[in-house]
Amino acid sequence: MNIDMSELVLTRKNDENHKTIIDINGKKIGDGNFTLMAGPGSIDFSDNLSDTAYEISNFGISFFRGGAYKPRTSPYSFQGHKVDGLKRLKDIAKKNKLNIVTEVLDIRDIEVVADFADIIQVGARNMQNFTLLQELGKVDKPILLKRGFANTVSELLHSAEYILNAGNKNVILCERGIRTFEPSTRNTLDISAIPLLKQVTHLPVIVDPSHAVGVASLVPAVTKAILAVGADGAIIEAYSNPEKALSDKEQTISTKTLLALHKDLVKIGKAMNVTIQ
Ligand code: PEP
Ligand code: MN
């Protein structure tokens, strides 16, 4: 393997049994089972959002994703409902007994996001925002660190090292596709990064198939591959009515599709002795 692990003193795996298990309100991530996180790209105030959370919780999924601070390519695109979005997210999550996964974009918002989130997401575009990473190292909440779309696996590990080195040991790595010459999908999922990361680091590794492929119809098949290749979970954009989603609707699967996918994952998981949670 072409990764120099010499500087990765806190992220590297010391022996076969070395793993970080992150316990969030009794749900364990990285303990050998497959954790699903699902929800829309952006939090909104419609009934579709409450329906989505209700259905996701009913399927037995415990983690609800949704952005209140959105990293948009264009300054004219919807930027998220910010603090009002976080309050809405908390309300919906509480009603449906869901844990919250939500993104922080800026060092100035860490305190408020940490107040509402059960897992704080660092998006692909911020993977090498080292000041943000160092500040998140001081926070008492797990960090979901997404791989930048132009970053190597080694750079992802170095970014995780920043967070661990600053004191926060609870980091979940997330492969979400990288830019290649292939334009027919939004990104190219680096599927080999998953077993590679599992071999070299003790941190949990999950995958975002939605941003990796950018096409809703491809998400179920790719999620099955993610399970088969040994990931600790997946974070999926799902919504009760994808047409009405405020961001990334082309890649958002319906909750109906999510239910069918969940059933398939349970079948595959049985063969692998992996529980889908
Ligand atoms: C997201 O998960 O909402 C997101 C913006 O993803 P990424 O940072 O991977 O592009
Ligand atoms: Mn999105």
Side-chain angles (χ1 to χ4, degrees):
M1 250 156 336
N2 211 1
I3 295 190
D4 178 2
M5 297 298 291
S6 59
E7 282 182 344
L8 297 166
V9 288
L10 300 171
T11 46
R12 75 174 164 232
K13 195 179 206 170
N14 295 327
D15 61 69
E16 251 332 284
N17 300 319
H18 184 196
K19 55 171 104 145
T20 288
I21 297 172
I22 300 177
D23 189 325
I24 298 161
N25 301 319
K27 289 283 164 195
K28 294 189 174 73
I29 300 175
D31 69 344
N33 295 317
F34 192 79
T35 305
L36 281 171
M37 305 175 183
S42 301
I43 294 306
D44 63 51
F45 293 90
S46 72
D47 288 345
N48 291 321
L49 188 83
S50 13
D51 293 348
T52 304
Y54 175 78
E55 289 180 72
I56 284 175
S57 172
N58 251 354
F59 303 162
I61 296 172
S62 309
F63 292 89
F64 191 60
R65 66 141 291 156
Y69 295 84
K70 296 300 299 174
R72 304 309 298 276
T73 300
S74 166
Y76 308 116
S77 300
F78 172 62
Q79 304 286 312
H81 284 298
K82 309 205 162 75
V83 179
D84 287 342
L86 290 175
K87 288 182 186 155
R88 164 82 165 149
L89 185 53
K90 186 86 182 176
D91 180 49
I92 294 272
K94 205 170 164 196
K95 278 191 185 123
N96 295 286
K97 297 193 172 59
L98 289 160
N99 295 303
I100 294 172
V101 186
T102 197
E103 179 163 354
V104 69
L105 284 185
D106 191 295
I107 201 162
R108 291 167 292 187
D109 304 317
I110 291 180
E111 211 175 304
V112 66
V113 174
D115 239 14
F116 287 88
D118 295 295
I119 298 178
I120 303 174
Q121 177 175 320
V122 176
R125 291 154 190 82
N126 263 326
M127 190 202 86
Q128 286 191 314
N129 183 338
F130 300 119
T131 325
L132 181 66
L133 301 179
Q134 278 166 329
E135 287 303 309
L136 289 170
K138 301 177 196 158
V139 171
D140 188 24
K141 287 281 164 79
I143 309 298
L144 192 168
L145 178 64
K146 297 184 99 176
R147 178 179 177 185
F149 44 67
N151 286 110
T152 63
V153 169
S154 168
E155 287 163 346
L156 171 62
L157 288 167
H158 280 84
S159 289
E161 192 83 17
Y162 262 96
I163 304 172
L164 267 65
N165 185 47
N168 189 344
K169 306 294 177 214
N170 291 325
V171 175
I172 302 161
L173 302 173
C174 181
E175 162 61 39
R176 49 76 76 207
I178 49 175
R179 277 204 179 155
T180 66
F181 56 82
E182 175 55 67
S184 41
T185 48
R186 184 174 179 181
N187 292 285
T188 298
L189 177 62
D190 184 1
I191 196 108
S192 49
I194 304 156
L196 168 57
L197 282 166
K198 291 296 295 173
Q199 278 181 30
V200 299
T201 180
H202 54 88
L203 297 172
V205 178
I206 69 162
V207 184
D208 176 344
S210 311
H211 289 84
V213 300
V215 183
S217 64
L218 303 179
V219 167
V222 171
T223 310
K224 291 177 220 172
I226 290 165
L227 167 61
V229 86
D232 295 295
I235 179 163
I236 301 175
E237 283 187 334
Y239 196 55
S240 57
N241 186 355
E243 271 309 302
K244 292 271 158 56
L246 290 184
S247 60
D248 285 346
K249 61 181 178 191
E250 343 61 68
Q251 68 191 34
T252 301
I253 61 170
S254 66
T255 37
K256 195 170 155 221
T257 302
L258 180 65
L259 178 59
L261 170 60
H262 189 273
K263 286 185 175 154
D264 285 351
L265 292 172
V266 168
K267 281 188 217 153
I268 300 169
K270 276 207 176 104
M272 297 173 67
N273 204 16
V274 169
T275 302
I276 313 300
Q277 63 174 17

